[in-house]
Amino acid sequence: MKRLAVLVACACGTPAPGDESTSTTGTTGTTGPDLPTTAISTTSTTGDDPPPQFDLPFPDFPDPACEQQELADECIDYCNKVGIGEPCGAPPPPQAPIPYLPFLFDCNCDDVNNVTLADLDDDGIDDIVANCNAFTPRIAVWFGASMRPLACPTLYATVGATGLAIADFDGDARLDIVTVAYGFETLSLFRGLGNRKFAPQSLVALVAWESESFLRLTPGDLDADGDIDLVARGFDVARPLLGDGAGSFSPGPFVTFPNAYGAIEVVDLDGDDRLDVVGRCMDALCISPGDGQGGFIAPPVELFTDEDSTIDLAVGELTGDSHLDLLLLRPDGLVLAPGLGPAQFGPRVIVGQSFAAQTLALADLDGDAIRDVVVHGADFPQFPDMATTTLLTGDPVQGYAVVAAFAHPYYPLAPTFGDFNGDGRTDLVFAQPVDATMGGGVLFLESAP
């Protein structure tokens, strides 16, 4: 099959195992009967109270033939679908930088605000999981492969998802998927069954959840009991969810980082084998150390002052001395806070230019085992509907220099990293939320040979 400059899988999507009887044939798909009441976890955290019940309509699964076509009407002309009344037309596709292949776009998963990569089937190649929140909430699973394009995703109905995480939450040595949705005091658990299959969601009630806009979930063992827990993060708050090893979770107390605006990371910064929460708090960078009992010490403790208002931060070993460093995205440029020891940092130094961007990440882009820098975001208010992704290589001594930058004619979220084509190089995956010109989807940017 000839590779297009941008490919889009719009007539694609495989029902989840057990749903095959309601799939359809043809090019448009038809709506099947309502699902029976969604499976509920048998280990609820509500005590004697019954867990909530949800009746979910069956998604409209299109033809599984996975027709490929250029990025055009079915994915782009979204304003006509929602009744804005003006034809949109397809914007020009983003141009992939060297050494990456042209973008692939998949609009089966619409209004995406979270993507996670992990090797779900233990074949040495990362797989991709995304949430899809428009019209019919569901998650989509693409299995990585060395052939292009990727096979059709498998779709699983859910109540909605903002946070997304992958780990073995029920102790059966198989990876599971969890999502948590804004406005629902539940967590959806998709238990791994092996052979590239997941069970339909089990809904786990979260007692005293007090739902916030938790956009990210980080798995880890917070209380050293051998069970996988979660840390839910929002714009200025983090909260532990303690796992029981069977797939249920109990929320712990909030820890708040005032004025963080999303500049929060979860990592073992002080070297005690416990996850900590690190982030901006007012005019400082702060840490809430893990207490080893499943919570975080509050209020956060100041690491150093930050008068220039960090926009985002990334944590990693950058200077070759085995200490974790902080890289800060600030209005005056990329700023390094070199690690001197557990949660100790030296004087800050500018190591890169300033950017009109909102997110910062570290990844080895060129295969030299040295972490490079990815900056992503929009130039507000001048170009609010266009995001730019900038790739930088270098090191803290020589500084970081731009090697590639590409503009998106719409606004995808910051990329997630992994190796979904099995070539040992870093690939990028972008979540595309819904906007006035397109229904959203997932953008794939894979490394070239």
Side-chain angles (χ1 to χ4, degrees), residues 17 120-121 123 127 141 143-145 151 154 156 193-198:
L120 299 174
D121 52 2
D123 65 352
D127 309 303
V141 180
F143 287 97
T154 303
Y156 295 84
L193 303 177
N195 296 319
R196 294 190 167 189
K197 295 182 179 180
F198 292 86

Side-chain angles (χ1 to χ4, degrees), residues 324-361:
L324 287 179
D325 310 301
L326 295 179
L327 190 64
L328 312 177
L329 176 64
R330 300 201 315 199
D332 56 344
L334 294 177
V335 176
L336 176 73
L340 303 179
Q344 301 293 321
F345 298 92
R348 272 72 68 199
V349 58
I350 295 178
V351 294
Q353 69 184 69
S354 61
F355 294 91
Q358 291 75 51
T359 61
L360 175 70

Side-chain angles (χ1 to χ4, degrees), residues 416-440:
T416 305
F417 308 96
D419 177 17
F420 63 77
N421 63 4
D423 66 354
R425 301 183 180 94
T426 299
D427 307 310
L428 285 70
V429 182
F430 298 81
Q432 174 66 61
V434 66
D435 66 14
T437 59
M438 66 188 306

Side-chain angles (χ1 to χ4, degrees), residues 9 23 54 63 66 72 82 123 129 138 206 218 222 262 310 314 323 328 361 404 422-423:
S23 64
F54 291 87
D63 180 8
C66 204
V82 297
D123 65 352
V129 181
R138 58 203 186 277
L206 298 175
T218 301
L222 300 177
T310 290
H323 299 311
L328 312 177
D423 66 354

Side-chain angles (χ1 to χ4, degrees), residues 165-169 178 217-232 239-245 248-250 275 293-295:
I166 299 173
D168 178 14
F169 296 105
V178 298
L217 295 174
T218 301
D221 186 0
L222 300 177
D223 51 5
D225 64 353
D227 300 325
I228 300 298
D229 311 305
L230 290 166
V231 182
R239 192 174 196 185
L241 301 174
L242 299 184
D244 65 357
S248 286
F249 297 85
S250 301
L275 288 177
Q293 305 299 314

Side-chain angles (χ1 to χ4, degrees), residues 90-265:
Q95 297 298 309
I98 298 174
Y100 290 90
L101 296 175
F103 276 92
L104 295 174
F105 185 83
D106 194 314
C107 64
N108 283 281
C109 188
D110 45 19
D111 196 17
V112 184
N113 59 28
N114 219 317
V115 175
T116 297
L117 280 76
D119 185 3
L120 299 174
D121 52 2
D122 200 28
D123 65 352
I125 301 176
D126 284 333
D127 309 303
I128 303 161
V129 181
N131 55 20
C132 324
N133 283 308
F135 310 121
T136 305
R138 58 203 186 277
I139 63 168
V141 180
W142 292 264
F143 287 97
S146 58
M147 300 296 292
R148 298 273 71 74
L150 294 178
C152 297
T154 303
L155 306 174
Y156 295 84
T158 182
V159 296
T162 50
L164 177 67
I166 299 173
D168 178 14
F169 296 105
D170 56 8
D172 65 355
R174 296 169 179 160
L175 291 178
D176 311 303
I177 302 170
V178 298
T179 66
V180 63
Y182 175 72
F184 289 94
E185 294 187 349
T186 59
L187 181 148
S188 295
L189 170 67
F190 300 86
R191 298 179 188 271
L193 303 177
N195 296 319
R196 294 190 167 189
K197 295 182 179 180
F198 292 86
Q201 68 174 339
S202 297
L203 298 179
V204 181
L206 298 175
V207 177
W209 172 234
E210 300 173 17
S211 178
E212 295 281 345
S213 182
F214 289 110
L215 303 179
R216 293 180 287 178
L217 295 174
T218 301
D221 186 0
L222 300 177
D223 51 5
D225 64 353
D227 300 325
I228 300 298
D229 311 305
L230 290 166
V231 182
R233 288 175 285 163
F235 288 108
D236 58 1
V237 66
R239 192 174 196 185
L241 301 174
L242 299 184
D244 65 357
S248 286
F249 297 85
S250 301
F254 290 97
V255 58
T256 301
F257 285 70
N259 293 342
Y261 298 112
I264 297 176
E265 293 294 333

